Amino acid sequence: SCVPTGNCFVPISEIISVEETELNKKQRNIGKWQKMTKLHAFTVYYVKKARNHRWQCSDVTFWCVDEHLCNQWIQTLKELLELQKSRPKQLLVYINPYGGKRQGKRIYEQKVAPLFSLASISTDVVSDVVCVGGDGMFSEVMHGLIGRIQKDSGIDQNNPKASLVQCNIRIGIIPAGSTDCICYSTVGISDPVTSALHIIVGDCQPLDVSSVHHNNTFLKYSVSLLGYGFYGDILKDSEKKRWMGPMRYDYSGFKTFLSHHYYEGTIAYQPAKHTLGSPRDKDSCRTGCYICKKSEQQLAEQHKDCGLKHEEGEEEWKVIKGKFLAINAVNMSCACPRSPKGLSPAAHLADGSADLILVRKCSRFDFLRYLVRHTNQDDQFDFPFVDVYRVKNFQFTSKLSEDNESNVMDIGKKRFGQFCRDHPACCCNIVNSTWNCDGETLDSSAIEVRVHCQLMKLFARGIEENCKDEAAYRQSSAEQLL
């Protein structure tokens, strides 16, 4: 019979590989086995879950005296692994050697490549895509893939009402950037080994993507943050200080906070009535999120309803005018090590909506209180000057937009037309802010944004609930166990 080296229950879905093992002399000379002349063994490499969502590669060795039985185990386990169809066999890997702390090449070669090799994953034929870098590198790959499939499908990306075709090529990201917000918000940690293991076991997490247009012209896709005012100003200022490295964000953030600029504008949005919950319900998006699954079903039903609800012009629009320190729209929590909850803790990854956060003009002290709440467990929306809405579309035009002919649909024209004439001309020398779109600046302040439900797929599982009893977690798995 087969005798394990320890008590370990491993779900098949979390096994990395199985290999025949040669036992050395020290391993053979253990207790009663030292009298035996020949032992046969195999090693199972598997995912070991540590604290704070961190994954590690571990292994356990099994041995027995019957060579045929040992080979049967190896063959059976390998066949079970072959049945895991979600696992990638071939990957195209992009490495950004200049992103973040310029450690992308070292991280891949030392931490990730050996794991891919262990899992027998080829990295020289295009199938799914992996990028080693930060959020900017991921954005570049995402734009290339989404843009290509729209072109091949005959979809006009410049049409803000176009229904985009889902991208079935999965994208993996090995974090090597400055903030690595996407990894932190979808896995729960920014760790190269953890992300590589999610890729190896074939985890797949759909993501919502927002398309951004100006005057019927496509500008960008956004998967995490669209920020105007505070976060836009930080990005604009930090771009001039790239020589400082990641420290430029701290410097520019402090400088922007002291400047305390506010901007006047008008926002029109369509509430996301198809999705469950609200941004303040504290129902965070986790692995297998029922809200995301239910929202996808409801959106599909709406699109089949003879087009009656599919036409955006017939949906209810709400309009807000005001003076804002920050306007943020997020497709995910936008969590990172410095802000573990993120900009919107209850934002969902794949429910076809974005959380629109409006921070109105307030004192510098009150704004500081708001920012500090991103680092603790207090409700960051519990201020009279902060509003948050769950939306599926929104449009923004600044009071002093340089393009007074912005095409933001008929409803926008009707409601925005009188706005500038309602204010004194002496305000018109104030400059506009810049939109921060996933770490890239947008040229136009007047934009139209639409959320596309589950447009792309990421090698991730979503953030798992913390499991206090790891043994209990593994034993509860309904999958084949060793």
Side-chain angles (χ1 to χ4, degrees), residues 55-115:
W55 283 14
Q56 299 170 340
C57 177
S58 190
D59 63 83
V60 58
T61 299
F62 300 83
W63 66 80
C64 61
V65 295
D66 188 332
E67 181 179 7
H68 178 68
L69 178 60
C70 183
N71 290 335
Q72 276 189 316
W73 271 98
I74 295 173
Q75 183 63 29
T76 300
L77 289 173
K78 287 186 175 182
E79 289 175 356
L80 289 172
L81 291 180
E82 286 294 326
L83 295 176
Q84 306 293 306
K85 299 300 183 183
S86 63
R87 297 189 177 213
K89 302 298 182 183
Q90 302 162 336
L91 295 171
L92 178 63
V93 180
Y94 288 96
I95 299 176
N96 180 1
Y98 303 107
K101 299 179 181 179
R102 303 191 175 190
Q103 297 295 305
K105 188 172 184 293
R106 183 191 65 81
I107 286 174
Y108 179 75
E109 291 179 347
Q110 296 184 8
K111 297 185 176 182
V112 178
L115 292 173

Side-chain angles (χ1 to χ4, degrees), residues 466-479:
N466 286 320
C467 186
K468 296 181 179 179
D469 189 348
E470 181 68 18
Y473 163 77
R474 292 193 178 278
Q475 290 181 9
S476 67
S477 174
E479 302 179 71

Side-chain angles (χ1 to χ4, degrees), residues 260-264 323-325 361 430-431:
H260 203 60
H261 286 154
Y262 67 88
Y263 302 92
E264 292 190 62
K323 301 175 181 179
F324 306 98
L325 286 169
K361 179 185 176 183
I430 304 175
V431 296

Side-chain angles (χ1 to χ4, degrees), residues 384-404:
F385 54 87
V386 178
D387 297 312
V388 59
Y389 309 94
R390 187 151 286 173
V391 306
K392 65 176 183 179
N393 303 288
F394 78 92
Q395 304 156 5
F396 172 79
T397 184
S398 69
K399 173 180 176 291
L400 307 170
S401 176
E402 60 186 5
D403 184 4
N404 292 323

Side-chain angles (χ1 to χ4, degrees), residues 238-464:
S238 67
E239 285 296 297
K240 306 171 186 176
K241 301 174 178 63
R242 283 189 168 270
W243 55 271
M244 295 178 65
M247 287 183 59
R248 68 186 184 273
Y249 297 114
D250 295 328
Y251 174 82
S252 296
F254 183 67
K255 179 181 175 182
T256 302
F257 170 76
L258 292 179
S259 67
H260 203 60
H261 286 154
Y262 67 88
Y263 302 92
E264 292 190 62
T266 304
I267 297 168
Y269 70 89
Q270 289 181 303
K273 294 183 179 180
H274 67 277
T275 188
L276 304 175
S278 73
R280 298 190 65 180
D281 61 12
K282 298 184 180 181
D283 195 352
S284 301
C285 190
R286 291 294 182 260
T287 302
C289 177
Y290 76 97
I291 289 180
C292 292
K293 291 181 179 179
K294 186 68 175 178
S295 298
E296 180 189 19
Q297 294 172 0
Q298 292 189 0
L299 275 178
E301 291 174 1
Q302 286 184 8
H303 292 172
K304 293 179 181 179
D305 191 15
C306 301
L308 294 179
K309 295 183 179 181
H310 186 58
E311 292 298 326
E312 296 175 357
E314 298 181 9
E315 295 284 355
E316 177 187 6
W317 284 80
K318 297 183 181 296
V319 175
I320 299 174
K321 300 178 182 180
K323 301 175 181 179
F324 306 98
L325 286 169
I327 300 171
N328 300 319
V330 298
N331 289 72
M332 57 180 62
S333 67
C334 291
C336 65
R338 292 190 178 184
S339 178
K341 294 193 305 176
L343 294 180
S344 186
H348 288 268
L349 297 172
D351 68 341
S353 74
D355 286 354
L356 180 62
I357 307 165
L358 308 180
V359 184
R360 298 177 182 272
K361 179 185 176 183
C362 62
S363 69
R364 185 179 284 108
F365 176 71
D366 279 342
F367 189 54
L368 178 60
R369 291 170 60 209
Y370 166 72
L371 294 177
V372 168
R373 287 202 179 178
H374 289 77
T375 65
N376 57 40
Q377 297 301 313
D378 295 332
D379 183 358
Q380 60 207 57
F381 302 133
D382 189 22
F383 292 103
F385 54 87
V386 178
D387 297 312
V388 59
Y389 309 94
R390 187 151 286 173
V391 306
K392 65 176 183 179
N393 303 288
F394 78 92
Q395 304 156 5
F396 172 79
T397 184
S398 69
K399 173 180 176 291
L400 307 170
S401 176
E402 60 186 5
D403 184 4
N404 292 323
E405 298 178 357
S406 295
N407 178 16
V408 288
M409 300 174 59
D410 292 340
I411 184 170
K413 292 178 180 178
K414 292 177 183 178
R415 293 173 174 169
F416 300 173
Q418 292 294 119
F419 185 62
C420 284
R421 293 195 290 272
D422 293 338
H423 294 74
C426 61
C427 294
C428 291
N429 59 350
I430 304 175
V431 296
N432 288 324
S433 180
T434 300
W435 280 98
N436 178 339
C437 179
D438 291 357
E440 298 290 335
T441 58
L442 297 182
D443 294 332
S444 177
S445 60
I447 62 172
E448 179 177 351
V449 180
R450 178 181 176 186
V451 183
H452 300 269
C453 186
Q454 303 188 11
L455 186 62
M456 61 157 293
K457 297 177 180 178
L458 182 72
F459 277 113
R461 185 176 291 187
I463 297 177
E464 296 178 292

